């Protein structure tokens, strides 16, 4: 397997999803396995980019169980043409969908697990609300939707930029990259009939926190 990370021409799609290709890719699979993801589960990668995490999920999951949603076609093209063969998973069956409204109906699937890694960090709350409506509708009754966010731990959301450790990323209350107090997600969950639990740190190299949403009332059934 050849890794051409050092080639700037071939690394642009990796840069577009934030770099840290190997670290953040593997972290996603290891974390989801720690949360109970098994190979037979049906898995949705929201804002999958060029499959930084996806190439690891493809190797782990049973054939046909990986679904990726992404707003930018060029990132999906880079995934299929470059990253999937490079990571030795070109023999796997998977589905990718390019759209930006989080409408998942064309997949015709319901999901045991979903993740949005470094997606809500770039979204205003009303876009997150739309995402929760649509992903929530596609979850199985015991399904879980994991999402990362930059946390405003003391609720100073309207007031000031915040610097996150590790990594030193500065986030903002009203522009990308966004931070939110966790109670914003509790409120968005209420509006979309989802319960949400904060996991907090998960060894993300840029200090993003983790939470998960479940269909309301079903969170304790797994
Ligand atoms: C920082 S990248 C992370 C990609 C991937 N989750 C990973 O960890 O490598 C965020 C991705 O979310 C995608 N995205 C942003 N808004 C979206 C939307 N409304 N629908 C689908 N994808 C979206 C972006 O195009 C980008 O590829």
């Amino acid at each position: 397997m050849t890794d051409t990370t050092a080639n700037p021409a071939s690394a642009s799609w990796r840069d577009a999803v934030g770099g840290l290709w190997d670290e953040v890719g593997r972290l996603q699979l290891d974390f989801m396995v720690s949360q109970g993801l098994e190979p037979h589960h049906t898995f949705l990668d929201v804002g999958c980019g060029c499959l930084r995490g996806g190439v690891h999920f493809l190797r782990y999951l049973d054939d046909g169980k990986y679904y990726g949603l992404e707003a930018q076609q060029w990132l999906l093209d880079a995934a299929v043409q470059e990253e999937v063969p490079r990571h030795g998973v070109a023999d796997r069956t998977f589905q990718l969908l390019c759209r930006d409204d989080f409408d998942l109906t064309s997949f015709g699937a319901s999901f045991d697990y979903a993740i949005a890694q470094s997606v809500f960090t770039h979204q205003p709350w009303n876009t997150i609300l739309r995402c929760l409506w649509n992903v929530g509708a596609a979850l199985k009754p015991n399904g879980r939707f994991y999402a990362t966010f930059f946390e405003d731990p003391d609720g100073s959301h309207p007031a000031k930029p915040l610097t996150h450790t590790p990594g030193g990323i500065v986030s903002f209350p009203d522009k990308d990259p966004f931070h939110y107090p966790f109670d914003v997600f509790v409120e968005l969950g209420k509006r979309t009939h989802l319960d949400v639990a904060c996991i907090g740190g998960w060894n993300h190299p840029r200090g993003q926190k983790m939470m998960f949403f479940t269909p309301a009332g079903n969170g304790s059934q797994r």
Side-chain angles (χ1 to χ4, degrees):
M1 200 178 307
T2 305
D3 190 322
T4 58
T5 307
N7 179 347
S10 70
S12 59
W13 53 86
R14 294 184 174 191
D15 295 340
V17 297
L20 300 178
W21 180 260
D22 293 321
E23 183 177 5
V24 173
R26 184 72 210 186
L27 176 66
Q28 293 179 60
L29 174 64
D30 290 346
F31 176 77
M32 293 305 295
V33 170
S34 79
Q35 294 294 303
L37 180 70
E38 296 179 4
H40 64 89
H41 286 134
T42 305
F43 180 80
L44 172 67
D45 195 349
V46 176
C48 62
C50 48
L51 304 200
R52 178 169 53 173
V55 292
H56 299 279
F57 290 116
L58 277 176
R59 188 176 296 119
Y60 176 75
L61 293 167
D62 289 347
D63 206 39
K65 296 295 188 178
Y66 177 87
Y67 294 73
L69 173 72
E70 168 55 45
Q72 301 188 66
Q73 185 63 51
W74 79 279
L75 291 177
L76 296 178
D77 292 344
V80 171
Q81 292 161 16
E82 303 289 341
E83 299 297 353
V84 166
R86 188 179 295 179
H87 287 79
V89 286
D91 61 332
R92 313 298 286 172
T93 306
F94 54 95
Q95 290 197 45
L96 301 177
L97 175 63
C98 185
R99 56 189 306 152
D100 65 3
D101 60 1
F102 303 104
D103 185 339
L104 299 161
T105 51
S106 67
F107 275 148
S110 54
F111 300 97
D112 298 289
Y113 284 91
I115 192 171
Q117 201 293 123
S118 196
V119 179
F120 289 1
T121 48
H122 300 290
Q123 307 287 6
W125 70 264
N126 48 0
T127 302
I128 295 172
L129 184 71
R130 178 189 282 266
C131 179
L132 291 176
W133 267 119
N134 286 318
V135 175
L139 286 180
K140 292 182 180 178
N142 289 342
R144 288 187 174 191
F145 176 30
Y146 290 77
T148 67
F149 66 108
F150 281 124
E151 185 176 26
D152 173 359
D154 64 3
S156 59
H157 170 72
K160 63 179 190 298
L162 294 173
T163 303
H164 301 272
T165 53
I169 299 289
V170 177
S171 66
F172 303 91
D174 54 0
K175 66 178 182 179
D176 186 0
F178 291 90
H179 58 241
Y180 296 99
F182 179 68
D183 61 11
V184 166
F185 298 110
V186 174
E187 177 60 29
L188 295 178
K190 281 182 190 161
R191 294 181 185 215
T192 53
H193 311 300
L194 297 169
D195 294 329
V196 59
C198 187
I199 291 176
W202 64 299
N203 295 321
H204 191 280
R206 291 187 174 129
Q208 295 186 27
K209 301 294 174 59
M210 182 66 85
M211 61 187 162
F212 70 92
F213 297 85
T214 54
N218 283 346
S220 62
Q221 292 186 15
R222 186 174 293 283

